[in-house]
Amino acid sequence: MSIINNKKHFLHEHLTFLESYGQEGGNGGFENLLKQLGIRVGGRSWDDDHSTIDWNLADNHFQFFFDYDNNEEEIKNWLKKSSISEYETLLTWLSWEDPIIRIKTTDFIENWEEFNIAGGWEGLILTTEDGKYYLEFTDDWKYNLNSNFEIKPKTKK
């Protein structure tokens, strides 16, 4: 059941705002949105990192391993200082049952790990609505956090 319709979904405990973006995420819908925003998808990044975004073609690429003990607060603090903290909302897509959703950036920053869990550790992409900033948590193959802006200091590739 979609998170939109399932008010008992654990992520609702952490949300102050959630709405459908009005576009289906499945059947290529989310990738199409990324392309419309100018975010390149596909390429070798899937083979290298299980990334949907083609990081080889991104203007900037930052990356670090995010699945380590006591990472929650450290990554949260880095996100608070990052470029996305200047945006009120972000777009993401959690599962095949869900549409693309709009969430508050502050909700994501405070609960980034819960969002990743809600996506089933299968990878998670978030973007600003103008496509200027975007980040991708890769799946359990590598557990890398890729972004086109600095999150963790000194992680530019």
Side-chain angles (χ1 to χ4, degrees):
M1 177 185 293
S2 168
I3 187 173
I4 299 283
N5 300 323
N6 181 2
K7 300 302 180 195
K8 292 183 180 180
H9 189 286
F10 76 93
L11 200 52
H12 281 283
E13 297 173 25
H14 307 287
L15 297 172
T16 61
F17 174 81
L18 168 73
E19 73 178 6
S20 172
Y21 185 65
Q23 188 173 335
E24 190 170 328
N27 300 317
F30 191 60
E31 286 187 16
N32 288 336
L33 172 67
L34 295 174
K35 290 176 191 175
Q36 290 168 2
L37 294 172
I39 302 169
R40 297 180 176 140
V41 298
R44 280 194 350 249
S45 294
W46 177 259
D47 295 333
D48 296 341
D49 202 28
H50 283 193
S51 294
T52 298
I53 294 172
D54 190 343
W55 291 103
N56 297 311
L57 299 177
D59 290 338
N60 289 303
H61 183 197
F62 298 84
Q63 181 186 72
F64 64 94
F65 179 78
F66 71 86
D67 188 35
Y68 53 91
D69 287 337
N70 302 314
N71 63 354
E72 297 88 354
E73 289 301 313
E74 187 170 45
I75 293 173
K76 181 192 311 183
N77 289 331
W78 289 329
L79 287 167
K80 285 179 182 178
K81 296 175 187 172
S82 74
S83 299
I84 63 164
S85 67
E86 300 167 12
Y87 284 75
E88 186 175 345
T89 60
L90 297 170
L91 301 177
T92 192
W93 177 52
L94 296 176
S95 75
W96 286 99
E97 300 169 340
D98 290 310
I100 297 168
I101 56 174
R102 179 181 289 118
I103 59 170
K104 282 204 176 265
T105 304
T106 53
D107 288 349
F108 166 69
I109 289 173
E110 287 297 317
N111 304 287
W112 69 268
E113 189 170 42
E114 283 80 5
F115 279 91
N116 207 7
I117 292 168
W121 295 98
E122 294 295 320
L124 178 67
I125 298 172
L126 298 105
T127 181
T128 56
E129 291 191 50
D130 60 6
K132 184 175 181 179
Y133 298 113
Y134 47 94
L135 62 146
E136 179 178 21
F137 293 85
T138 63
D139 64 18
D140 58 5
W141 190 61
K142 292 256 183 140
Y143 290 117
N144 284 325
L145 175 48
N146 294 288
S147 61
N148 72 331
F149 59 96
E150 188 174 76
I151 297 173
K152 179 180 179 178
K154 301 178 183 171
T155 55
K156 186 163 183 149
K157 286 198 71 166

